Amino acid sequence: MRALRLVRGPLLLGGLVVAVVASVLLGAGIGAVDIPARQVIAVIAGKLGLDLGITVSPENEAILWAIRLPRVALGLLVGAGLAVAGATLQGIFRNPLADPGLIGVSSGASLGAVGAIVLGLSGLGAATLPVAAFAGALVATFAVYALARFEGRTEVVTLLLTGLAVNAIAGAGIGYLVFQATDSEIRDAVFWTLGSLGGATWTVVLSAAPFVLLGVFLMPAFARELNLLILGEREAAHLGVATERLRVVLIALVALTTGAAVAVAGTIGFIGLIVPHLVRLAAGPDNRIVLPASALAGAALLVFADLLARTAAAPAELPIGVITSLIGGPFFLWLLHRTRRAHGGWG
């Protein structure tokens, strides 16, 4: 069985790399004007200084470079960040239901971003919204973590109820800010609550990339410690894991990554819940595989979801949060039922 998992892990990672490449080609190529995959490759290669000898019309190159490729790049960033954040939270809490949206991280980030919009904060330039969203995500995450712990454990029901309360408080704060906002600020605020990649530009991508990539690359570095934490806090401590310091560092990284993702794409639910479970079903519970595989799978899934959001009701565009919620809601109900049966009920 162990040998099988050693083989499945690399195969899964290789397959997900192919899925990411396919998502880029399809996401950039399909739209009101369909562009062949070879032209998408030619434009990307051309920007990297490589001439493939493929003719691309100026119109198609402009569509790809100015509109579609920034959107695809933002989808890759946000999807990877949310999926890794979800997988990390599930490891921290040793809880299969942990997710940036369910436990209030995304709503805290949204409150910070909407607050920055309505209050007219711009002191940090392009980094203002990511920093404000990070602050809101950090406060919400630590509040949930502190309130959900009981006698050294984080219970499933307590976690969900605490997340529900934090979501409600953040929602009330967002509602009050929207009530005080001008018409243009209301339109911007609605963007955060529905989730969309429609505002993607290379400037937006570059403003979010440092924050998201920091989390995406650093969280997998703690995979071994998360594996030991599965054994229990006392056992992990005996094996040399500083459990509280580990939690503080990882919670800060989750808040940073989620805050930056929400700041540029709004609230996109269930990516952090669905993707890690699909990866575990395919490759087992080893976080050394789960975390990087979640990043790849989340990136591909969000780009495909955005493609569906753009084309399902064309020429109108559905909010991407609607697509992920339609997929994630039934999955969450199944997971909740499965987890309850595994625990023998929570009564």
Side-chain angles (χ1 to χ4, degrees), residues 2 20 33 72 80 84 96 109 113 118 130 175 184 241:
R2 184 173 181 273
V20 169
V33 176
V72 168
V84 172
V118 175
S184 63
V241 178

Side-chain angles (χ1 to χ4, degrees), residues 266-289:
T267 304
I268 299 175
F270 291 108
I271 293 292
L273 179 69
I274 296 171
V275 172
H277 282 284
L278 294 178
V279 170
R280 289 190 188 97
L281 288 173
D286 188 348
N287 284 297
R288 291 174 297 179
I289 297 296

Side-chain angles (χ1 to χ4, degrees), residues 191-227:
F191 163 79
W192 304 112
T193 60
L194 293 178
S196 172
L197 301 180
T201 64
W202 286 118
T203 301
V204 170
V205 172
L206 293 176
S207 70
F211 300 98
V212 176
L213 292 178
L214 184 67
V216 168
F217 284 108
L218 285 184
M219 281 185 270
F222 295 93
R224 175 184 171 275
E225 288 83 353
L226 285 173
N227 283 343

Side-chain angles (χ1 to χ4, degrees), residues 318-339:
L318 295 173
I320 195 170
V322 172
I323 301 296
T324 57
S325 295
L326 283 174
I327 299 170
F331 182 87
F332 175 68
L333 291 174
W334 170 80
L335 181 62
L336 190 65
H337 177 68
R338 179 173 177 266
T339 304

Side-chain angles (χ1 to χ4, degrees), residues 296-307:
L296 293 170
L301 178 61
L302 193 58
V303 173
F304 281 127
D306 181 58
L307 177 60

Side-chain angles (χ1 to χ4, degrees), residues 93-94 144-156 158-159 162 233:
F93 291 119
R94 289 182 291 151
V144 170
Y145 173 64
L147 295 172
R149 285 178 64 78
F150 177 71
E151 295 181 352
R153 296 182 298 113
T154 306
E155 298 176 331
V156 173
T158 308
L159 177 73
T162 305
E233 290 194 31

